[in-house]
Amino acid sequence: MKYSNKIEKKYYPAIGRILSPIVLDKLSNEGNSNYLHEVISNSNFSMYLNKNMSLADFFDFTYNFCLKNYRNEYVYKNAITNKILLGRHSLNTSTLLTEFRVGSCKADAVILNGSSTVYEIKSKYDTFNRLENQIEEYLKVFDNVNVISEDSQIDKLKKILPKNVGILTLTKRNTISVFRQAVSNKKNVDPAVIFDSLRKSEYLNIINKVFGSVPKVPNTQIFKECKSLFVTLENEIAHDLMVAEIKKRIPKEHTKDIMSKIPQSLSAYALSSTVKKGKKSEISKLIPN
């Protein structure tokens, strides 16, 4: 279906934001979104919608529109979720995290299984201004570091990225192609940066497991004392302990239940670590089996 004759390109970003957490959270919590109604009306998007269309079909339709016309960050995240996490791995053994803090950066998508793999998304609407700094930070924490973009950016990425960083592309057919495979980086990670990416409960569990107990110091000193112990660990051990602990953030049974109720267009949203359990439950109620 061609949209260009009826929907002006200036509305494409607004349509893309329909699949953003802020709009989906609003729908899941309140069952309604003024933003959604305004965009559909103002952009003429409503001309292509069937009044009897289910909410699941609407999200799929919107996603397909973005896939063909406006491949924003969400399109990439959803492709990573469906093609890599669900297509190559298993929810029984793998966990997806989005917007995962690493130093001064937030990693777009991280998959944890027996190891860790990060995907930094650079769509055609993104700049490369911060890319070198982002990659430098990711190499301190993750085993496999990748940048995913489009074919037109490959030559530019080759010049910017270290040779151990993978280069992937999202093809026009919505498949993920590997231009250059990432090289294992686990032995080069920095335990100090890894520690700063952990939640308090996570590093306390690790310290107790490895050293037998948690330092008996005032709460104001516990972070410093635990970190001083953690940084004595070998790089690979620190990495593996991080992976094992962070994978616990998202309960597997809950995740599998949600995934059985949503359309593929919402996979990245449903599995995102930024979506609280209650919100996931609400969005699944809006889209019954």
Side-chain angles (χ1 to χ4, degrees):
M1 179 182 292
K2 295 183 179 180
Y3 308 91
S4 56
N5 292 332
K6 299 294 182 180
I7 301 177
E8 296 180 52
K9 288 186 177 181
K10 67 179 182 180
Y11 291 112
Y12 287 5
I15 293 171
R17 282 194 290 274
I18 290 175
L19 296 170
S20 68
I22 191 169
V23 176
L24 294 176
D25 284 354
K26 187 82 170 178
L27 284 170
S28 65
N29 289 332
E30 303 175 15
N32 192 32
S33 168
N34 290 334
Y35 176 86
L36 176 63
H37 292 298
E38 289 178 8
V39 170
I40 290 175
S41 176
N42 294 339
S43 66
N44 290 326
F45 198 52
S46 59
M47 295 181 64
Y48 298 94
L49 304 178
N50 186 324
K51 291 183 178 180
N52 297 319
M53 181 181 286
S54 69
L55 194 57
D57 288 339
F58 167 74
F59 287 133
D60 282 342
F61 186 86
T62 303
Y63 179 75
N64 286 329
F65 173 88
C66 292
L67 186 61
K68 296 173 182 177
N69 300 277
Y70 188 75
R71 302 208 303 178
N72 59 5
E73 183 178 294
Y74 183 82
V75 169
Y76 279 79
K77 283 183 179 178
N78 212 52
I80 291 168
T81 303
N82 288 317
K83 305 298 182 180
I84 298 179
L85 178 71
L86 302 177
R88 304 177 191 173
H89 302 297
S90 166
L91 288 178
N92 292 320
T93 57
S94 301
T95 298
L96 172 74
L97 301 173
T98 60
E99 305 302 317
F100 182 77
R101 182 164 293 282
V102 179
S104 60
C105 306
K106 284 187 178 180
D108 290 323
V110 177
I111 292 179
L112 304 173
N113 38 42
S115 192
S116 64
T117 303
V118 61
Y119 301 88
E120 178 60 29
I121 297 166
K122 292 300 177 186
S123 75
K124 67 182 291 185
Y125 309 106
D126 297 321
T127 68
F128 285 15
N129 295 343
R130 299 180 60 245
L131 182 57
E132 290 179 79
N133 177 63
Q134 290 171 312
I135 296 303
E136 183 179 342
E137 291 295 304
Y138 299 160
L139 287 170
K140 297 175 183 177
V141 174
F142 303 110
D143 186 14
N144 300 293
V145 178
N146 298 284
V147 175
I148 180 169
S149 188
E150 54 181 33
D151 289 339
S152 63
Q153 303 291 357
I154 287 180
D155 288 340
K156 188 175 181 179
L157 289 172
K158 285 168 60 180
K159 295 177 181 178
I160 295 174
L161 300 176
K163 292 184 179 180
N164 60 335
V165 174
I167 299 176
L168 312 178
T169 60
L170 180 62
T171 71
K172 293 180 179 179
R173 294 186 176 183
N174 193 30
T175 61
I176 293 178
S177 176
V178 179
F179 175 79
R180 186 172 75 192
Q181 194 78 41
V183 177
S184 177
N185 175 67
K186 189 159 54 169
K187 65 181 180 181
N188 301 313
V189 298
D190 185 341
V193 181
I194 288 176
F195 185 87
D196 291 343
S197 297
L198 296 168
R199 296 173 179 173
K200 183 177 181 180
S201 60
E202 293 167 348
Y203 69 69
L204 289 179
N205 286 342
I206 291 174
I207 295 301
N208 188 58
K209 176 182 179 180
V210 177
F211 297 96
S213 63
V214 174
K216 295 181 180 180
V217 295
N219 286 335
T220 55
Q221 299 178 31
I222 193 68
F223 178 88
K224 179 180 178 181
E225 292 300 318
C226 286
K227 186 172 183 177
S228 68
L229 292 173
F230 190 86
V231 296
T232 66
L233 299 172
E234 293 180 10
N235 293 356
E236 292 172 284
I237 292 176
H239 168 274
D240 291 347
L241 288 168
M242 170 200 71
V243 170
E245 198 62 40
I246 293 179
K247 283 178 67 177
K248 300 176 185 177
R249 289 186 184 181
I250 304 177
K252 295 300 179 187
E253 290 305 315
H254 174 70
T255 298
K256 288 189 285 186
D257 177 60
I258 293 300
M259 292 306 295
S260 69
K261 300 176 180 177
I262 63 161
Q264 284 193 343
S265 56
L266 294 186
S267 295
Y269 172 72
L271 290 178
S272 170
S273 62
T274 61
V275 182
K276 296 180 180 179
K277 183 175 179 179
K279 291 180 181 178
K280 287 182 182 177
S281 298
E282 290 301 319
I283 197 70
S284 68
K285 290 177 184 176
L286 294 175
I287 308 171
N289 258 339

